[in-house]
Amino acid sequence: MRAFFEGIQWLFENIFFALHDFLRALELKNWVAANAVNWVFMAICAVAIVYWCKQLKLHKDNGEEYQDTTAQSFLK
C-alpha cells in the first residue's frame, strides 16, 4: 500500500508540478518571463470584459434587454 501512495507522490511531484518548478526556477533568473503567464491571462480577461460590455450596450440599445425590478414572480 505504501508503494501506491509513493507512486502518487512521484506522479504529482515529477509530472504534474513540473511547470510550477520550472516557473519557480525561472523567477530567480527573470521575473518578467516568469510572470508572463499572468500578464497573458490579464490581457485575455481585459479583452473579454470589453467585449462583454460592448455586447451589453448593443442589446440595451436594441431594446432586447429584459429589466424587471422584482427578483421573483411571487414578490409582485
Side-chain angles (χ1 to χ4, degrees):
M1 192 67 172
R2 181 177 175 171
F4 173 73
F5 288 111
E6 287 177 352
I8 292 174
Q9 175 186 354
W10 178 86
L11 180 69
F12 275 88
E13 287 180 353
N14 295 331
I15 304 297
F16 292 151
F17 293 144
L19 178 63
H20 297 288
D21 291 338
F22 171 73
L23 290 174
R24 183 178 55 191
L26 181 63
E27 184 179 14
L28 299 175
K29 297 176 186 172
N30 189 351
W31 180 85
V32 176
N35 288 299
V37 174
N38 295 331
W39 288 105
V40 168
F41 284 140
M42 285 192 292
I44 290 170
C45 288
V47 170
I49 289 171
V50 169
Y51 175 76
W52 185 15
C53 290
K54 283 186 176 185
Q55 290 297 315
L56 287 174
K57 185 176 181 334
L58 179 70
H59 287 289
K60 186 175 182 178
D61 291 344
N62 288 340
E64 298 173 1
E65 186 176 1
Y66 177 69
Q67 293 182 348
D68 190 9
T69 56
T70 60
Q72 297 290 334
S73 61
F74 61 84
L75 294 176
K76 290 182 181 181

